[in-house]
Amino acid sequence: MSTVQRRLTAYLDESQSNRSRDPDCYVLAAALCDPTELEIARTAMASLLLPGQTKVHWRDEQPARKRKIAETIAQLPLMHLIVVRDGRPGERAERRRRHCLERMLFELDELEVARAIAESRGRADDLRDRRLLDAQRAKQAVSSELLIDHVPGPKDPLLWVPDAVCGAITLARTGNPGYLDMIETAVAVQVIRIVAP
C-alpha cells in the first residue's frame, strides 16, 4: 500500500459506559475525516463552545445541548467507527481500553487511515498507546503506515466528536437511543462489538 493513498485522519476518544446500568463495558470511537474537510468540521465543532468552556464534553452537557451537539455532528462530513468491549466483571478499565484500541487500530489500518489522533491522557498513557501500535506492527496486525499522535482535548475541537459519539452510544445502550439515531441517520456509523473470552 502506498502512503500516497492514505488520506483519512481519525480522531479518537473513549469512555466507560454507565457503571450501574451497563457495567463492564468500554467504548472507543473514531471520527474519520478527509483532510479537505478538516477545517469545516473543526469550525463547526468550535462554534459549539460556550463562554467559559475549554472544550465541549458530552458528560457535562444538558439534554438540549446534547441534542444540538448530535445535530451538528450529523451534518459534518465524517464517518464514525465505534468499538465496544463487553468485558468480564472486575476486568480493569485499562485492559478493556487496550482491547478496544487493538481492534480500532486494525480497523483504521484496513480503511487506510493515515493518522490517528487520540486525546492525550498524559505522558505515560500516551507512550503506552504508541507501544501498543509498535506491538501491533511487530505482529503485522497493522502496517507501518498508520501513525498515532496525542493532543490535549481543548486543543482540537475534532476530538470532541468521538467524545460525544461515545456518550450517544452509552445512552443508546442504556435505553435512550435518540442522540445516536440523529447521528446514524445522517452519516455512516459502524459499531464493532468484542466480547471478553
Side-chain angles (χ1 to χ4, degrees), residues 36-90:
T36 61
E37 307 282 6
L38 286 173
E39 285 312 310
I40 292 169
R42 190 173 281 126
T43 300
M45 290 306 295
S47 74
L48 294 169
L49 204 61
L50 296 175
Q53 285 185 318
T54 58
K55 68 176 185 175
V56 172
H57 196 189
W58 183 267
R59 185 186 63 209
D60 300 333
E61 301 291 353
Q62 297 300 313
R65 278 274 294 164
K66 287 179 178 175
R67 181 176 181 83
K68 183 173 179 59
I69 293 164
E71 288 172 344
T72 300
I73 290 171
Q75 295 171 16
L76 298 178
L78 303 172
M79 295 181 296
H80 302 277
L81 179 63
I82 298 101
V83 176
V84 176
R85 165 79 171 176
D86 286 324
R88 296 175 176 168

Side-chain angles (χ1 to χ4, degrees), residues 15 32 49 57 59 104 126 132 136 139 144 147 149 196:
S15 175
L32 283 63
L49 204 61
H57 196 189
R59 185 186 63 209
M104 180 65 80
D126 295 352
L132 175 60
Q136 293 294 91
K139 291 191 294 188
S144 61
L147 305 176
D149 291 310

Side-chain angles (χ1 to χ4, degrees), residues 3-55:
T3 54
V4 175
Q5 297 172 328
R6 290 183 174 250
R7 293 180 49 82
L8 295 176
T9 301
Y11 290 83
L12 279 62
D13 199 19
E14 75 279 332
S15 175
Q16 292 193 77
S17 190
N18 184 303
R19 292 183 191 188
S20 60
R21 298 182 62 200
D22 189 24
D24 311 317
C25 176
Y26 205 91
V27 181
L28 177 63
L32 283 63
C33 192
D34 187 275
T36 61
E37 307 282 6
L38 286 173
E39 285 312 310
I40 292 169
R42 190 173 281 126
T43 300
M45 290 306 295
S47 74
L48 294 169
L49 204 61
L50 296 175
Q53 285 185 318
T54 58
K55 68 176 185 175

